[in-house]
Amino acid sequence: MSIIHRATLVPSKLDAIAAWIPTQDWSAGRDITNLEAVGAYRFDDPAGVVGVETHLVRSASGTVFQVPLTYRNAPLNGAEAYFVATMEHSVLGTRWVYDGVGDPLYVAVTTAAIVDGAEQAELVVHSPDGSRTVRESTTRVRGTGRHSSATPRLHVRRVIDSTATELPHLFGTWPGQEDPIPLVELRN
C-alpha cells in the first residue's frame, strides 16, 4: 500500500519532469513539447520511507515517455548523476527526487515485481483531516513472474512503443493504451 498525502508540491511532478527530460540523452531528437501526464504507477518501499513512482507522459506528437522517480527525505549518496529536482511537499517537507534507474531501491522493487509477477501498489490517500481513501489507479502494471538470471539487469524503456519482448518484463495499460505493453525488462 502506497501512502499518498493530499499536499501541494513545488514544483509539480510534471513541471520537474518537463524540466529534466531535455537534459537526458534518450530524449535527443524527439519531440518533448507540451508534455501531459498519461498515467503513473507506484511500488512500495518495504521500509515505508521512499516514494517509488513511475510517470508516463506524452508529448504533443504523441510520443509516450516513461520516467521512474524516487522521492527521498535526504540526498542519496553517490546518486548525483541521477538527481532530478528538489520539491517542497506541504506535508513531508523537502523531497530529493531521483531518476529511479540510479536508485537501488527502485531497481530492487521493480525487479521483485517482475520476478514475483506482482502488480502496482494500492494507493491510499491521507487527507489533512485524518481520513483515508483508496484511489483507483488508472495505470495497471504486472510482472511476468519469471526470470532468466541470478543477476539480471533492469532496462527501463524510456520511449514507449509496442515492441514485444520474450524477456521477463513489467507490462502495463493506461487510458488510451488498453493492450498490455512492455515497460521494463530484465536482461542477462
Side-chain angles (χ1 to χ4, degrees):
M1 157 182 71
S2 281
I3 296 172
I4 301 170
H5 298 276
R6 286 210 189 280
T8 302
L9 286 172
V10 178
S12 71
K13 294 173 185 178
L14 186 57
D15 287 344
I17 290 167
W20 178 76
I21 283 181
T23 69
Q24 302 306 298
D25 291 342
W26 48 264
S27 72
R30 299 187 185 278
D31 174 24
I32 54 173
T33 61
N34 299 320
L35 294 176
E36 66 173 335
V38 174
Y41 60 93
R42 285 182 168 259
F43 290 121
D44 290 330
D45 169 10
V49 176
V50 178
V52 180
E53 182 175 42
T54 300
H55 298 268
L56 301 169
V57 296
R58 183 176 25 240
S59 71
S61 66
T63 301
V64 176
F65 298 99
Q66 182 172 211
V67 183
L69 299 176
T70 57
Y71 310 101
R72 293 179 164 272
N73 61 2
L76 177 59
N77 290 331
E80 294 79 12
Y82 300 98
F83 179 74
V84 174
T86 54
M87 293 179 168
E88 291 303 319
H89 189 287
S90 62
V91 174
L92 301 174
T94 303
R95 309 305 286 171
W96 282 261
V97 183
Y98 292 91
D99 178 5
V101 300
D103 190 319
L105 180 64
Y106 169 82
V107 172
V109 299
T110 304
T111 298
I114 293 169
V115 170
D116 296 340
E119 295 182 340
Q120 74 281 348
E122 178 181 58
L123 306 175
V124 178
V125 180
H126 287 211
S127 295
D129 66 4
S131 65
R132 297 177 182 198
T133 57
V134 174
R135 181 191 305 167
E136 185 68 26
S137 181
T138 59
T139 302
R140 303 269 183 213
V141 298
R142 178 185 293 273
T144 55
R146 58 184 173 89
H147 61 91
S148 58
S149 169
T151 57
R153 291 178 299 112
L154 200 65
H155 172 74
V156 174
R157 291 184 174 194
R158 297 296 194 154
V159 179
I160 303 302
D161 61 29
S162 59
T163 305
T165 181
E166 294 300 317
L167 296 170
H169 62 277
L170 185 74
F171 58 89
T173 61
W174 55 89
Q177 179 61 50
E178 303 308 318
D179 293 327
I181 194 164
L183 298 171
V184 182
E185 298 169 326
L186 288 182
R187 296 180 175 178
N188 293 328

